[in-house]
Amino acid sequence: MSISTPDAAKPQAAAALPAPEQAHPSRGSGRGTGGAQRPRRGVMQHLTPWLFLAAAVGLLLLFTYWPALNLFYYSVTDWDGIDQTKNLVGFENYVQVFTDPRIFQVFFVSLYYFAASFFQIAIALYFATILSFSTRFSSFFRGVLFFPYLINGVAVGFVFLYLFQPGGTLDTVLGWFGVVDPPQWLGDPDIVNWSLAGTSVWRYTGMGFVLFLGAIQSIPHELYEAADIDGASRWAQFWAIIFPGIRRVIGLTVILAIAGSLSVFEVPFVMTGGANGSSTFVIQTLQTAFSYRQVGLASAMAVVLLFVVLIVTWIQRKVFPDEKVDLT
């Protein structure tokens, strides 16, 4: 009978265990594979944002800046929109824009919309301030104020066309209060632009209302609580807390109102077609391009409108600089 000693069992146990030297090559190969994949992942991680950015920039260049460059090129030609040849005429189109009274005088029509835009801002700010506090049926009134902005501009034009037509809805309502001979809302040159400007106010008040409401709700509630403790009225809270806190949004709304008043198109085009002295600069530009076949002159008018909007916006930014307000 043989007796196994502890020294004899050690070699057998050592043989049963895997050799450390055999495990190292497999680990080393795994590290080698991972090391080869990591650079690829790193490159893809760095390239992925640029690929998304390249797609967005490509679409912007293709559909915005390239047409803008073509617009500048067409503005110095006499192209009629059909012929293949385009003769360079220099700045003759721009000279005609500023010297022909039939072209440049339509800018004065924008003054009606410009004046109405401040009335629109006042209405939007008033209702945004009221509905920012706890008011009964506030959600319902918010939806009512914002709903007109969701409607298509052509649909709004047709709705108010039936409202302002002779014997229409507005004349019927005025007849209930004894108005026998109402004015021609769209036929009188002295009234038509005010009627169209009022339609624009009804449509775009909702946009300003949402901007003001979001800005007011972003103001910390602790300021209102402190004002209530001090005994400040709602009117005092508006001038001390709300108005300084939303100054940037008010400036943005003014810029949008100025740009919109200079480029009004949908409402007057659908309701009057530019008749009775209601033609805006955009309507005049489209008629020049597609009715009179003067694409070069129309392009110059579009470039002038672009620069007018930029200059007015720059003046507004200088007069009302964007200052950071710290209410705390």
Side-chain angles (χ1 to χ4, degrees), residues 238-269:
F238 174 80
W239 286 111
I241 299 176
I242 296 177
F243 187 80
I246 64 173
R247 186 180 301 172
R248 291 185 175 184
V249 180
I250 294 176
L252 173 64
T253 308
V254 171
I255 292 175
L256 295 177
I258 294 174
S261 62
L262 293 174
S263 58
V264 177
F265 170 68
E266 291 178 340
V267 171
F269 183 79

mmCIF file of all heavy atoms in Angstrom, residues 238-269:
data_model
loop_
_atom_site.group_PDB
_atom_site.id
_atom_site.type_symbol
_atom_site.label_atom_id
_atom_site.label_comp_id
_atom_site.label_asym_id
_atom_site.label_seq_id
_atom_site.Cartn_x
_atom_site.Cartn_y
_atom_site.Cartn_z
ATOM 1 N N PHE A 238 -46.261 95.518 -11.427
ATOM 2 C CA PHE A 238 -45.995 95.487 -12.867
ATOM 3 C C PHE A 238 -44.795 96.355 -13.231
ATOM 4 O O PHE A 238 -43.902 95.924 -13.967
ATOM 5 C CB PHE A 238 -47.238 95.960 -13.626
ATOM 6 C CG PHE A 238 -47.026 96.103 -15.105
ATOM 7 C CD1 PHE A 238 -47.051 94.988 -15.939
ATOM 8 C CD2 PHE A 238 -46.781 97.347 -15.670
ATOM 9 C CE1 PHE A 238 -46.844 95.122 -17.302
ATOM 10 C CE2 PHE A 238 -46.574 97.488 -17.035
ATOM 11 C CZ PHE A 238 -46.607 96.366 -17.850
ATOM 12 N N TRP A 239 -44.752 97.585 -12.708
ATOM 13 C CA TRP A 239 -43.676 98.489 -13.084
ATOM 14 C C TRP A 239 -42.362 98.180 -12.375
ATOM 15 O O TRP A 239 -41.290 98.481 -12.893
ATOM 16 C CB TRP A 239 -44.083 99.941 -12.777
ATOM 17 C CG TRP A 239 -45.081 100.469 -13.744
ATOM 18 C CD1 TRP A 239 -46.392 100.757 -13.494
ATOM 19 C CD2 TRP A 239 -44.867 100.773 -15.121
ATOM 20 N NE1 TRP A 239 -47.001 101.215 -14.626
ATOM 21 C CE2 TRP A 239 -46.087 101.239 -15.657
ATOM 22 C CE3 TRP A 239 -43.761 100.687 -15.964
ATOM 23 C CZ2 TRP A 239 -46.224 101.618 -16.976
ATOM 24 C CZ3 TRP A 239 -43.903 101.068 -17.294
ATOM 25 C CH2 TRP A 239 -45.126 101.521 -17.794
ATOM 26 N N ALA A 240 -42.430 97.547 -11.213
ATOM 27 C CA ALA A 240 -41.209 97.279 -10.449
ATOM 28 C C ALA A 240 -40.642 95.893 -10.703
ATOM 29 O O ALA A 240 -39.431 95.690 -10.558
ATOM 30 C CB ALA A 240 -41.486 97.458 -8.948
ATOM 31 N N ILE A 241 -41.505 94.931 -11.087
ATOM 32 C CA ILE A 241 -41.043 93.543 -11.228
ATOM 33 C C ILE A 241 -41.235 93.040 -12.654
ATOM 34 O O ILE A 241 -40.285 92.574 -13.294
ATOM 35 C CB ILE A 241 -41.791 92.627 -10.233
ATOM 36 C CG1 ILE A 241 -41.515 93.065 -8.791
ATOM 37 C CG2 ILE A 241 -41.380 91.185 -10.432
ATOM 38 C CD1 ILE A 241 -42.290 92.286 -7.758
ATOM 39 N N ILE A 242 -42.463 93.126 -13.162
ATOM 40 C CA ILE A 242 -42.783 92.490 -14.444
ATOM 41 C C ILE A 242 -42.115 93.212 -15.605
ATOM 42 O O ILE A 242 -41.433 92.591 -16.435
ATOM 43 C CB ILE A 242 -44.311 92.426 -14.634
ATOM 44 C CG1 ILE A 242 -44.935 91.536 -13.562
ATOM 45 C CG2 ILE A 242 -44.651 91.911 -16.022
ATOM 46 C CD1 ILE A 242 -46.441 91.462 -13.633
ATOM 47 N N PHE A 243 -42.291 94.515 -15.692
ATOM 48 C CA PHE A 243 -41.757 95.254 -16.850
ATOM 49 C C PHE A 243 -40.235 95.170 -16.942
ATOM 50 O O PHE A 243 -39.696 94.898 -18.021
ATOM 51 C CB PHE A 243 -42.215 96.713 -16.793
ATOM 52 C CG PHE A 243 -41.857 97.495 -18.016
ATOM 53 C CD1 PHE A 243 -42.619 97.406 -19.168
ATOM 54 C CD2 PHE A 243 -40.730 98.316 -18.022
ATOM 55 C CE1 PHE A 243 -42.268 98.129 -20.300
ATOM 56 C CE2 PHE A 243 -40.378 99.031 -19.147
ATOM 57 C CZ PHE A 243 -41.153 98.938 -20.300
ATOM 58 N N PRO A 244 -39.476 95.380 -15.853
ATOM 59 C CA PRO A 244 -38.016 95.198 -15.984
ATOM 60 C C PRO A 244 -37.616 93.756 -16.267
ATOM 61 O O PRO A 244 -36.620 93.510 -16.959
ATOM 62 C CB PRO A 244 -37.485 95.657 -14.616
ATOM 63 C CG PRO A 244 -38.560 96.482 -14.030
ATOM 64 C CD PRO A 244 -39.837 95.899 -14.516
ATOM 65 N N GLY A 245 -38.408 92.797 -15.752
ATOM 66 C CA GLY A 245 -38.034 91.398 -15.943
ATOM 67 C C GLY A 245 -38.242 90.889 -17.354
ATOM 68 O O GLY A 245 -37.585 89.929 -17.771
ATOM 69 N N ILE A 246 -39.140 91.512 -18.108
ATOM 70 C CA ILE A 246 -39.425 91.044 -19.474
ATOM 71 C C ILE A 246 -38.994 92.084 -20.505
ATOM 72 O O ILE A 246 -39.500 92.101 -21.614
ATOM 73 C CB ILE A 246 -40.923 90.712 -19.642
ATOM 74 C CG1 ILE A 246 -41.774 91.979 -19.472
ATOM 75 C CG2 ILE A 246 -41.361 89.645 -18.654
ATOM 76 C CD1 ILE A 246 -43.235 91.761 -19.801
ATOM 77 N N ARG A 247 -38.047 92.933 -20.135
ATOM 78 C CA ARG A 247 -37.623 93.991 -21.055
ATOM 79 C C ARG A 247 -37.053 93.411 -22.352
ATOM 80 O O ARG A 247 -37.284 93.944 -23.440
ATOM 81 C CB ARG A 247 -36.587 94.879 -20.370
ATOM 82 C CG ARG A 247 -36.177 96.096 -21.182
ATOM 83 C CD ARG A 247 -35.152 96.907 -20.426
ATOM 84 N NE ARG A 247 -35.688 97.353 -19.142
ATOM 85 C CZ ARG A 247 -34.941 97.955 -18.209
ATOM 86 N NH1 ARG A 247 -33.638 98.139 -18.409
ATOM 87 N NH2 ARG A 247 -35.491 98.353 -17.071
ATOM 88 N N ARG A 248 -36.297 92.329 -22.230
ATOM 89 C CA ARG A 248 -35.726 91.720 -23.437
ATOM 90 C C ARG A 248 -36.810 91.184 -24.364
ATOM 91 O O ARG A 248 -36.727 91.326 -25.591
ATOM 92 C CB ARG A 248 -34.779 90.595 -23.046
ATOM 93 C CG ARG A 248 -33.501 91.050 -22.378
ATOM 94 C CD ARG A 248 -32.564 89.873 -22.140
ATOM 95 N NE ARG A 248 -31.281 90.301 -21.596
ATOM 96 C CZ ARG A 248 -30.267 89.483 -21.374
ATOM 97 N NH1 ARG A 248 -30.394 88.186 -21.635
ATOM 98 N NH2 ARG A 248 -29.133 89.940 -20.883
ATOM 99 N N VAL A 249 -37.827 90.568 -23.791
ATOM 100 C CA VAL A 249 -38.906 90.026 -24.609
ATOM 101 C C VAL A 249 -39.688 91.153 -25.269
ATOM 102 O O VAL A 249 -40.128 91.033 -26.410
ATOM 103 C CB VAL A 249 -39.820 89.129 -23.745
ATOM 104 C CG1 VAL A 249 -40.959 88.558 -24.579
ATOM 105 C CG2 VAL A 249 -39.017 88.007 -23.123
ATOM 106 N N ILE A 250 -39.867 92.252 -24.567
ATOM 107 C CA ILE A 250 -40.545 93.402 -25.168
ATOM 108 C C ILE A 250 -39.745 93.936 -26.347
ATOM 109 O O ILE A 250 -40.301 94.265 -27.406
ATOM 110 C CB ILE A 250 -40.771 94.492 -24.105
ATOM 111 C CG1 ILE A 250 -41.757 94.014 -23.046
ATOM 112 C CG2 ILE A 250 -41.284 95.776 -24.754
ATOM 113 C CD1 ILE A 250 -41.967 94.995 -21.907
ATOM 114 N N GLY A 251 -38.422 94.015 -26.182
ATOM 115 C CA GLY A 251 -37.588 94.449 -27.309
ATOM 116 C C GLY A 251 -37.684 93.513 -28.489
ATOM 117 O O GLY A 251 -37.753 93.954 -29.647
ATOM 118 N N LEU A 252 -37.694 92.199 -28.232
ATOM 119 C CA LEU A 252 -37.850 91.230 -29.312
ATOM 120 C C LEU A 252 -39.190 91.384 -30.000
ATOM 121 O O LEU A 252 -39.284 91.327 -31.234
ATOM 122 C CB LEU A 252 -37.699 89.811 -28.756
ATOM 123 C CG LEU A 252 -38.008 88.659 -29.718
ATOM 124 C CD1 LEU A 252 -37.029 88.665 -30.876
ATOM 125 C CD2 LEU A 252 -37.973 87.324 -28.980
ATOM 126 N N THR A 253 -40.245 91.604 -29.247
ATOM 127 C CA THR A 253 -41.570 91.773 -29.830
ATOM 128 C C THR A 253 -41.651 93.027 -30.685
ATOM 129 O O THR A 253 -42.297 93.037 -31.735
ATOM 130 C CB THR A 253 -42.624 91.815 -28.715
ATOM 131 O OG1 THR A 253 -42.462 90.682 -27.858
ATOM 132 C CG2 THR A 253 -44.022 91.793 -29.291
ATOM 133 N N VAL A 254 -40.998 94.083 -30.248
ATOM 134 C CA VAL A 254 -40.983 95.315 -31.042
ATOM 135 C C VAL A 254 -40.267 95.088 -32.375
ATOM 136 O O VAL A 254 -40.709 95.560 -33.436
ATOM 137 C CB VAL A 254 -40.332 96.455 -30.248
ATOM 138 C CG1 VAL A 254 -40.118 97.681 -31.133
ATOM 139 C CG2 VAL A 254 -41.197 96.819 -29.048
ATOM 140 N N ILE A 255 -39.151 94.351 -32.330
ATOM 141 C CA ILE A 255 -38.433 94.050 -33.576
ATOM 142 C C ILE A 255 -39.308 93.239 -34.521
ATOM 143 O O ILE A 255 -39.394 93.519 -35.732
ATOM 144 C CB ILE A 255 -37.130 93.302 -33.257
ATOM 145 C CG1 ILE A 255 -36.159 94.218 -32.525
ATOM 146 C CG2 ILE A 255 -36.480 92.776 -34.537
ATOM 147 C CD1 ILE A 255 -34.900 93.526 -32.070
ATOM 148 N N LEU A 256 -39.983 92.222 -34.002
ATOM 149 C CA LEU A 256 -40.877 91.417 -34.830
ATOM 150 C C LEU A 256 -42.030 92.252 -35.375
ATOM 151 O O LEU A 256 -42.462 92.051 -36.523
ATOM 152 C CB LEU A 256 -41.408 90.239 -34.015
ATOM 153 C CG LEU A 256 -40.380 89.196 -33.563
ATOM 154 C CD1 LEU A 256 -41.039 88.140 -32.699
ATOM 155 C CD2 LEU A 256 -39.702 88.549 -34.763
ATOM 156 N N ALA A 257 -42.534 93.173 -34.580
ATOM 157 C CA ALA A 257 -43.637 94.019 -35.033
ATOM 158 C C ALA A 257 -43.198 94.950 -36.164
ATOM 159 O O ALA A 257 -43.925 95.151 -37.145
ATOM 160 C CB ALA A 257 -44.185 94.828 -33.859
ATOM 161 N N ILE A 258 -41.995 95.510 -36.035
ATOM 162 C CA ILE A 258 -41.492 96.404 -37.084
ATOM 163 C C ILE A 258 -41.261 95.634 -38.376
ATOM 164 O O ILE A 258 -41.664 96.064 -39.468
ATOM 165 C CB ILE A 258 -40.202 97.085 -36.620
ATOM 166 C CG1 ILE A 258 -40.493 98.024 -35.441
ATOM 167 C CG2 ILE A 258 -39.554 97.859 -37.759
ATOM 168 C CD1 ILE A 258 -39.253 98.620 -34.820
ATOM 169 N N ALA A 259 -40.614 94.475 -38.263
ATOM 170 C CA ALA A 259 -40.372 93.664 -39.460
ATOM 171 C C ALA A 259 -41.681 93.204 -40.088
ATOM 172 O O ALA A 259 -41.824 93.179 -41.318
ATOM 173 C CB ALA A 259 -39.501 92.462 -39.098
ATOM 174 N N GLY A 260 -42.650 92.832 -39.256
ATOM 175 C CA GLY A 260 -43.933 92.393 -39.788
ATOM 176 C C GLY A 260 -44.713 93.506 -40.441
ATOM 177 O O GLY A 260 -45.381 93.293 -41.472
ATOM 178 N N SER A 261 -44.657 94.717 -39.895
ATOM 179 C CA SER A 261 -45.393 95.836 -40.487
ATOM 180 C C SER A 261 -44.812 96.253 -41.828
ATOM 181 O O SER A 261 -45.534 96.783 -42.685
ATOM 182 C CB SER A 261 -45.379 97.024 -39.520
ATOM 183 O OG SER A 261 -44.049 97.474 -39.292
ATOM 184 N N LEU A 262 -43.521 96.023 -42.030
ATOM 185 C CA LEU A 262 -42.900 96.369 -43.310
ATOM 186 C C LEU A 262 -43.096 95.297 -44.371
ATOM 187 O O LEU A 262 -42.941 95.583 -45.569
ATOM 188 C CB LEU A 262 -41.402 96.613 -43.113
ATOM 189 C CG LEU A 262 -41.019 97.838 -42.282
ATOM 190 C CD1 LEU A 262 -39.515 97.870 -42.051
ATOM 191 C CD2 LEU A 262 -41.477 99.123 -42.962
ATOM 192 N N SER A 263 -43.412 94.075 -43.954
ATOM 193 C CA SER A 263 -43.536 92.964 -44.913
ATOM 194 C C SER A 263 -44.908 92.309 -44.853
ATOM 195 O O SER A 263 -45.023 91.100 -44.995
ATOM 196 C CB SER A 263 -42.448 91.923 -44.620
ATOM 197 O OG SER A 263 -42.551 91.446 -43.287
ATOM 198 N N VAL A 264 -45.945 93.111 -44.663
ATOM 199 C CA VAL A 264 -47.312 92.574 -44.630
ATOM 200 C C VAL A 264 -47.694 92.109 -46.031
ATOM 201 O O VAL A 264 -47.436 92.783 -47.025
ATOM 202 C CB VAL A 264 -48.299 93.646 -44.133
ATOM 203 C CG1 VAL A 264 -49.719 93.121 -44.178
ATOM 204 C CG2 VAL A 264 -47.932 94.062 -42.721
ATOM 205 N N PHE A 265 -48.320 90.925 -46.091
ATOM 206 C CA PHE A 265 -48.698 90.405 -47.409
ATOM 207 C C PHE A 265 -50.033 89.674 -47.402
ATOM 208 O O PHE A 265 -50.934 90.017 -48.181
ATOM 209 C CB PHE A 265 -47.610 89.464 -47.930
ATOM 210 C CG PHE A 265 -48.017 88.703 -49.160
ATOM 211 C CD1 PHE A 265 -48.199 89.357 -50.361
ATOM 212 C CD2 PHE A 265 -48.239 87.338 -49.112
ATOM 213 C CE1 PHE A 265 -48.592 88.675 -51.505
ATOM 214 C CE2 PHE A 265 -48.629 86.642 -50.234
ATOM 215 C CZ PHE A 265 -48.803 87.314 -51.443
ATOM 216 N N GLU A 266 -50.201 88.677 -46.561
ATOM 217 C CA GLU A 266 -51.318 87.750 -46.679
ATOM 218 C C GLU A 266 -52.670 88.443 -46.563
ATOM 219 O O GLU A 266 -53.533 88.301 -47.438
ATOM 220 C CB GLU A 266 -51.209 86.651 -45.617
ATOM 221 C CG GLU A 266 -50.061 85.692 -45.844
ATOM 222 C CD GLU A 266 -49.981 84.664 -44.721
ATOM 223 O OE1 GLU A 266 -50.537 84.916 -43.638
ATOM 224 O OE2 GLU A 266 -49.364 83.607 -44.940
ATOM 225 N N VAL A 267 -52.867 89.183 -45.470
ATOM 226 C CA VAL A 267 -54.186 89.758 -45.192
ATOM 227 C C VAL A 267 -54.610 90.739 -46.283
ATOM 228 O O VAL A 267 -55.712 90.602 -46.845
ATOM 229 C CB VAL A 267 -54.183 90.411 -43.799
ATOM 230 C CG1 VAL A 267 -55.464 91.215 -43.581
ATOM 231 C CG2 VAL A 267 -54.049 89.346 -42.719
ATOM 232 N N PRO A 268 -53.829 91.764 -46.650
ATOM 233 C CA PRO A 268 -54.297 92.667 -47.715
ATOM 234 C C PRO A 268 -54.388 92.003 -49.087
ATOM 235 O O PRO A 268 -55.249 92.374 -49.888
ATOM 236 C CB PRO A 268 -53.254 93.794 -47.705
ATOM 237 C CG PRO A 268 -52.048 93.194 -47.086
ATOM 238 C CD PRO A 268 -52.540 92.201 -46.094
ATOM 239 N N PHE A 269 -53.528 91.027 -49.358
ATOM 240 C CA PHE A 269 -53.577 90.383 -50.667
ATOM 241 C C PHE A 269 -54.854 89.564 -50.824
ATOM 242 O O PHE A 269 -55.467 89.562 -51.891
ATOM 243 C CB PHE A 269 -52.355 89.488 -50.846
ATOM 244 C CG PHE A 269 -52.273 88.841 -52.206
ATOM 245 C CD1 PHE A 269 -51.826 89.553 -53.300
ATOM 246 C CD2 PHE A 269 -52.640 87.512 -52.380
ATOM 247 C CE1 PHE A 269 -51.749 88.960 -54.556
ATOM 248 C CE2 PHE A 269 -52.572 86.909 -53.619
ATOM 249 C CZ PHE A 269 -52.123 87.643 -54.709
#
